[in-house]
Amino acid sequence: MNNLVLSSTPKTPAINFNSTTGILFLKGKSIPENTFKFYQELTDWLNEYSISPAAESHFNIYLEYFNTSSAKRILDCLKILQRIGDEGKTKVQINWTYEENDTDMLEAGEDFRDMLHIPFNISSVQEED
C-alpha cells in the first residue's frame, strides 16, 4: 500500500499517512475550497489501510485552524480509525496538539475526544514564531 503524502498549502494541511509505521500526521490549516474532495482522498486511504493496518496506529493532529466542514471530515477520519480499533486490527492512539493559549483548538480537541471511545491525548505546545 502506498503512503499518502501531501504538502500543505495556505488552505490545506500537510498530510503524511504511513501504512508501514502506522504514523498518520495532519498539520496546518484546513479551509479547503472543496472540503469533500480534499478529505475524500484521506478517507479512501484510511479505508484501504483498514484492510491490513499496522499493529499500532497513531494519528497526530496539529491544526492551527479548521472550518466547520473540515470538522465533519476530520471526524469521519477518526471514526474510521475507531472502527478498525474496535475490530481489533490495530491499537489506535489519537494525539491532538494545539498551541498554548488557543482555547478554541483545545475545546475542539475535547469535543472530538468526547465523541469517540478511543485513546485520545490532548497536549499543548508553545506558539510557533
Side-chain angles (χ1 to χ4, degrees), residues 105-124:
M105 293 308 291
L106 167 60
E107 290 173 4
E110 291 170 341
D111 289 344
F112 281 124
R113 180 191 62 202
D114 294 346
M115 289 185 253
L116 303 162
H117 59 267
I118 51 179
F120 202 110
N121 180 52
I122 299 174
S123 61
S124 66

Side-chain angles (χ1 to χ4, degrees), residues 9-26:
T9 71
K11 294 188 175 193
T12 60
I15 306 294
N16 190 338
F17 286 5
N18 187 307
S19 61
T20 304
T21 64
I23 303 295
L24 316 173
F25 187 77
L26 185 144

Side-chain angles (χ1 to χ4, degrees), residues 3 13 28 32 39 41-42 50-52 54 56 58-60 65 73-75 79 91 95 102 108 110-112 122 126:
N3 296 331
Y39 280 94
E41 188 171 4
L42 278 63
S50 73
I51 296 167
S52 184
E56 293 187 9
H58 297 266
F59 193 10
N60 302 307
Y65 178 80
R73 301 300 287 164
I74 293 166
L75 182 59
K79 285 182 176 179
K91 182 179 176 185
N95 298 305
D102 187 345
E110 291 170 341
D111 289 344
F112 281 124
I122 299 174
Q126 288 189 348

Side-chain angles (χ1 to χ4, degrees), residues 90-102:
T90 186
K91 182 179 176 185
V92 176
Q93 173 68 51
I94 308 301
N95 298 305
W96 182 272
T97 303
Y98 67 97
E99 288 185 356
E100 191 175 57
N101 300 321
D102 187 345

Side-chain angles (χ1 to χ4, degrees), residues 22 49 53-58 81 84-92:
Y49 175 73
E56 293 187 9
S57 298
H58 297 266
L81 287 168
I84 62 176
D86 287 350
E87 292 170 353
K89 293 181 177 180
T90 186
K91 182 179 176 185
V92 176

Side-chain angles (χ1 to χ4, degrees), residues 27-94:
K27 180 180 181 180
K29 292 181 184 174
S30 184
I31 51 172
E33 297 293 330
N34 185 335
T35 306
F36 179 82
K37 181 179 178 185
F38 179 79
Y39 280 94
Q40 189 62 46
E41 188 171 4
L42 278 63
T43 56
D44 288 348
W45 188 93
L46 286 168
N47 281 318
E48 184 180 344
Y49 175 73
S50 73
I51 296 167
S52 184
E56 293 187 9
S57 298
H58 297 266
F59 193 10
N60 302 307
I61 304 169
Y62 181 12
L63 292 170
E64 299 167 35
Y65 178 80
F66 60 90
N67 58 16
T68 305
S69 58
S70 292
K72 166 68 172 109
R73 301 300 287 164
I74 293 166
L75 182 59
D76 291 344
C77 292
L78 293 169
K79 285 182 176 179
I80 292 169
L81 287 168
Q82 178 174 269
R83 176 180 50 82
I84 62 176
D86 287 350
E87 292 170 353
K89 293 181 177 180
T90 186
K91 182 179 176 185
V92 176
Q93 173 68 51
I94 308 301

